[in-house]
Amino acid sequence: MLQQRGGQVEEQDKRASILWEESVPLMRQGLHKELVRLAFNGLENSQKVFPARENVFASLRQTSLDATRVVIIGQDPYFNEHPGKGPEAHGLCFSVQNGIPVPPSLRNILLEVNNSIYNGRRVSVDSDLTRWAIQGVLLLNASLTVIAKCPNSHVNLGWHRLTDNIIETISRQKEHVVFMLWGTFAQKKAVLIDRTKHLILATSHPSPLSAHKGFLGSGVFRRCNEYLTLHGHLPIEW
């Protein structure tokens, strides 16, 4: 079983954030702070932005640069909210917190995990993917905020500059990281990654519209663990 995080979570999160800010050029320049200001300021009273401000950089807090072994790239945070339960987005791509209805793409992700890692048994069922993040899986959306009910509403805000720079930094500073590029949008990020140092696993997107065109049955989670083990890393407990 995974070891639970101890009582120094806040201090660990702070150190992890500092390391990203020291290593990513555009974060050193303060772009991430400016983008948060742009995302949340000047909104009409009826508008909401997801995820909550305190969760915008959750993926970077949960997974330090040093710990990153796998990168899963999403496009946009979830833009839906469930009355009495809260928003789907909580700062980790594809993930929703427990008690929130599981989105179709995440359902297919968990299906592929169970088929390729656990021989079809329903072992990986938790919709909150924090358990992956604390093992070194960076769950990074290309845009880190979105206006409620308005998909891609912050696509031109400047987030892509920042997250591309994060991907470039990982590629440049680390070795033997597995990059999961699911769907056409994510696959365009391949130009940011040094293929001589890292593994790219590209498939169709796990959404119901395309999951059967290459994602389901791809074995990406098994292949990821094989690569990590080959290069001296512990496999991910998916």
Side-chain angles (χ1 to χ4, degrees):
M1 297 294 292
L2 295 175
Q3 293 183 345
Q4 297 297 316
R5 306 175 80 188
Q8 297 180 332
V9 173
E10 289 185 4
E11 185 61 30
Q12 291 170 354
D13 285 351
K14 183 178 179 181
R15 287 200 302 269
S17 179
I18 290 172
L19 288 173
W20 285 110
E21 289 186 359
E22 291 174 347
S23 301
V24 178
L26 290 180
M27 293 187 77
R28 287 203 302 267
Q29 297 174 23
L31 179 61
H32 58 305
K33 296 176 182 178
E34 174 64 13
L35 291 174
V36 169
R37 186 190 66 79
L38 291 172
F40 286 91
N41 289 0
L43 292 172
E44 297 178 6
N45 292 334
S46 60
Q47 289 181 315
K48 294 182 179 180
V49 170
F50 298 141
R53 185 189 290 257
E54 62 269 22
N55 290 331
V56 170
F57 300 113
S59 61
L60 302 181
R61 287 200 307 270
Q62 296 284 3
T63 311
S64 69
L65 175 59
D66 183 62
T68 298
R69 294 182 285 153
V70 181
V71 180
I72 297 178
I73 300 174
Q75 184 169 356
D76 213 30
Y78 294 125
F79 53 85
N80 289 323
E81 183 177 25
H82 297 272
K85 296 182 178 180
E88 293 178 347
H90 69 114
L92 307 179
C93 72
F94 293 107
S95 176
V96 296
Q97 293 179 307
N98 293 326
I100 301 292
V102 180
S105 291
L106 178 56
R107 192 175 301 117
N108 282 331
I109 290 169
L110 298 177
L111 176 62
E112 178 60 22
V113 168
N114 287 323
N115 285 341
S116 63
I117 301 292
Y118 301 111
N119 297 315
R121 291 178 291 123
R122 294 185 73 252
V123 175
S124 186
V125 296
D126 190 351
S127 64
D128 188 337
L129 303 183
T130 300
R131 68 186 187 280
W132 296 0
I134 62 177
Q135 294 180 79
V137 181
L138 180 65
L139 296 162
L140 184 69
N141 275 314
S143 293
L144 297 187
T145 58
V146 69
I147 296 174
K149 300 180 181 180
C150 298
N152 291 314
S153 46
H154 282 174
V155 69
N156 295 320
L157 203 64
W159 284 120
H160 288 196
R161 285 183 61 216
L162 178 68
T163 53
D164 282 358
N165 201 214
I166 290 171
I167 295 167
E168 290 171 330
T169 300
I170 296 167
S171 177
R172 182 177 64 254
Q173 294 197 10
K174 297 183 67 69
E175 292 184 345
H176 309 311
V177 173
V178 179
F179 290 84
M180 303 269 202
L181 306 184
W182 301 336
T184 302
F185 175 85
Q187 288 167 20
K188 292 178 181 177
K189 305 298 182 181
V191 297
L192 307 172
I193 302 163
D194 185 346
R195 291 175 180 265
T196 68
K197 296 169 56 183
H198 307 288
L199 176 65
I200 293 177
L201 293 177
T203 72
S204 66
H205 195 275
S207 75
L209 295 176
S210 58
H212 293 279
K213 298 178 181 178
F215 178 79
L216 293 175
S218 63
V220 286
F221 301 102
R222 172 182 49 78
R223 291 158 60 194
C224 172
N225 279 353
E226 290 172 351
Y227 179 85
L228 292 175
T229 302
L230 178 65
H231 292 284
H233 298 296
L234 290 174
I236 303 298
E237 195 173 317
W238 301 107

